[in-house]
Each structure stands twice: as structure tokens, then as C-alpha cells.
Amino acid sequence: MHSERASVGLRLAAWGGLVFLHFPILIIFLYAFNTEDAAFSFPPQGFTLHWFTVAFARSDVLEAIKLSLQVACLATLIALVLGTLASAALYRRSFFGKESISLMLILPIALPGIITGIALLSAFKRLGIEPGVFTIVVGHATFCVVIVYNNVIARLRRTSQSLIEASMDLGADGWQTFRYIILPNLGSALLAGGMLAFALSFDEIIVTTFTAGHERTLPIWLLNQLSRPRDVPVTNVVAMLVMLVTMLPILGAYYLTRGGESVAGSGK
């Protein structure tokens, strides 16, 4: 009886915590559709799509969306290539310095974003590289690689070595074994890692602040909007877009990797 009451109490506490955390998000969603003549009133007075029209008619919003999508796609592509190569190099062989390399790969996402951002900015200044799109992409790729690496190396560890040995015994070369045996087994892990990396890159702001220079991604645009209270309805619309764009890939990655508890990286 006591254990059942404790279980019910824990469930209520968990659901209460989730409601508390997500209630502000619900408010933003509601105010994105609030009527034009009652944009700042509470409770919402009606339903309208007017603010969506206003938001997507603004060139600064469209430019910020375009830049965020461009950076997220490039960072994800780099992370998929480097993360997969790193996991393939580290998952089987033991060699001197392996643990140090693994730590260096994971470090960018373990460190506070402000530390990573300052370190990247100092490195770019020392190399004479001016902040811009290139530096944003590099900055995002440093932590996106970790997500892909964790997913892929976990899947490689779960892949039976006998499949690879059988492929080689049947006359397949290294490329054929990778294409027909290893890659199909990595498919969902790569997709999940790529989706998570895209979501993290799209809404990243701390590292971006140090590496963007004069460029404005969507999160930086939202940060600048805090000083413009008359633009709150438009800001709510853009904030809702950011949440949807980041939430959907994370949910997709969750469904792709559920049931595989050893696939790491989906909890970030």
C-alpha cells in the first residue's frame, strides 16, 4: 500500500514538474494567435493569424531564419562526417591516447557554452579569422560532432562483429562491407544523430554570440527583441517557430532510438 502511494506521488510530482516547465511555452503559443487589438491582454481575447503574416513579411525575420537553417545544415553535415569517422576509428582498436581523444571529442558539449565560445573566439582571433558564417558553423560543429559520435559508436558496439567477418569471408572488400553491412546498421543512429545535431544548432545562442560577429541567427534575433516590447506578438510567432523546429527533430530522434538504451546522446 505504501509503495503504491509512493508511486502515485512520484507520478504526480513528475507530471507537475513537466506542466510547470512547459506552461510558459503554452502561453507563448497562445499569444502567437491572440487578436490584433488585444495583443497584450490577458487572457487572450480571440484567434488570429495576423501576426504570422506580419512576421513572415519582415525581411529581418526571413534573413535570420535563412541563416539559422544554413548554419544548422552545414554544421550537421560536418558532424555526420567527422562523428562517423571518429567513432569508426575508436570503437574497436585500443591504442595509446585513445581515452584522451574520446575526452576531447566529448569536451565541447560537457563544458559551459560560454567557455567554448570564448575559447573559439580567442582561437579565431589568433588565426586572423573574422567572425561570420564560417566561424558560426565551426562553433556549432564542435558540439554537434559529439551527438553524432555518441550515437554512432553506441550502435557500432551493438553491431555483431560476426556480420562483418562473414561479409569479408564471402569475398567483400572493405568498401562493400561498409556499404552493405555497416551503413544499413548505422542508418537510424545517423539519422537520429543528425536530427539532434540540427535541433541543437538551430537554437544555439551562447556559442553563437561569441562567433557570429555581425551576423544574426534566429536565436540572436530573438535575444535582440527583448528590448522591443512593441514587437512582442511577432516575437511570440518566431519563438513558436523555433520551438517547433527544434522539438520535432528531437521527438523524431527519440522514436528512432527508443528501445536501444545504449544509444547515447539523445538525452542532451
Side-chain angles (χ1 to χ4, degrees):
M1 180 65 69
H2 291 291
S3 62
E4 291 180 359
R5 289 180 180 176
S7 178
V8 172
L10 287 173
R11 290 181 182 178
L12 290 175
W15 280 108
L18 288 174
V19 171
F20 176 77
L21 290 173
H22 290 86
F23 183 74
I25 297 177
L26 177 62
I27 294 297
I28 290 176
F29 273 57
L30 289 176
Y31 270 82
F33 297 96
N34 201 12
T35 54
E36 181 178 357
D37 56 349
F40 300 96
S41 64
F42 184 87
Q45 302 299 308
F47 180 89
T48 182
L49 297 176
H50 169 75
W51 302 118
F52 287 83
T53 304
V54 173
F56 289 107
R58 290 179 51 165
S59 60
D60 57 336
V61 174
L62 296 178
E63 287 297 323
I65 293 174
K66 179 182 176 181
L67 179 59
S68 288
L69 289 174
Q70 178 185 357
V71 169
C73 289
L74 290 173
T76 301
L77 180 61
I78 294 171
L80 285 171
V81 175
L82 296 183
T84 303
L85 292 175
S87 59
L90 294 175
Y91 94 101
R92 284 184 61 189
R93 305 296 183 188
S94 295
F95 53 88
F96 178 77
K98 177 179 178 179
E99 296 302 325
S100 299
I101 295 175
S102 299
L103 177 62
M104 290 176 62
L105 283 169
I106 298 173
L107 204 56
I109 207 168
L111 289 173
I114 190 170
I115 301 299
T116 303
I118 292 174
L120 286 169
L121 180 61
S122 300
F124 291 139
K125 290 295 185 181
R126 181 62 63 90
L127 295 173
I129 301 174
E130 290 299 320
V133 176
F134 173 76
T135 57
I136 301 175
V137 172
V138 172
H140 288 198
T142 57
F143 58 81
C144 288
V145 167
V146 183
I147 303 300
V148 177
Y149 167 79
N150 282 345
N151 277 274
V152 173
I153 199 168
R155 184 60 56 84
L156 286 171
R157 288 169 179 165
R158 293 167 54 202
T159 302
S160 175
Q161 186 64 28
S162 61
L163 291 175
I164 300 175
E165 293 173 353
S167 174
M168 303 295 283
D169 288 341
L170 292 172
D173 56 27
W175 168 248
Q176 290 173 321
T177 301
F178 174 78
R179 180 181 177 185
Y180 296 109
I181 304 298
I182 299 177
L183 193 58
N185 280 282
L186 296 181
S188 60
L190 286 171
L191 184 58
M195 293 168 72
L196 284 169
F198 180 89
L200 286 176
S201 174
F202 189 82
D203 70 350
E204 165 59 38
I205 186 170
I206 299 177
V207 173
T208 310
T209 301
F210 288 93
T211 58
H214 298 293
E215 301 290 342
R216 288 204 303 175
T217 61
L218 203 53
I220 292 181
W221 182 90
L222 286 170
L223 181 64
N224 292 336
Q225 288 296 107
L226 294 178
S227 61
R228 300 175 182 177
R230 299 304 303 177
D231 275 351
V232 166
V234 175
T235 305
N236 288 334
V237 171
V238 178
M240 187 181 73
L241 172 66
V242 172
M243 285 185 285
L244 288 175
V245 170
T246 55
M247 179 180 64
L248 294 178
I250 291 174
L251 288 176
Y254 165 74
Y255 282 107
L256 284 172
T257 58
R258 64 176 179 173
E261 292 79 8
S262 60
V263 177
S266 58
K268 169 64 179 173

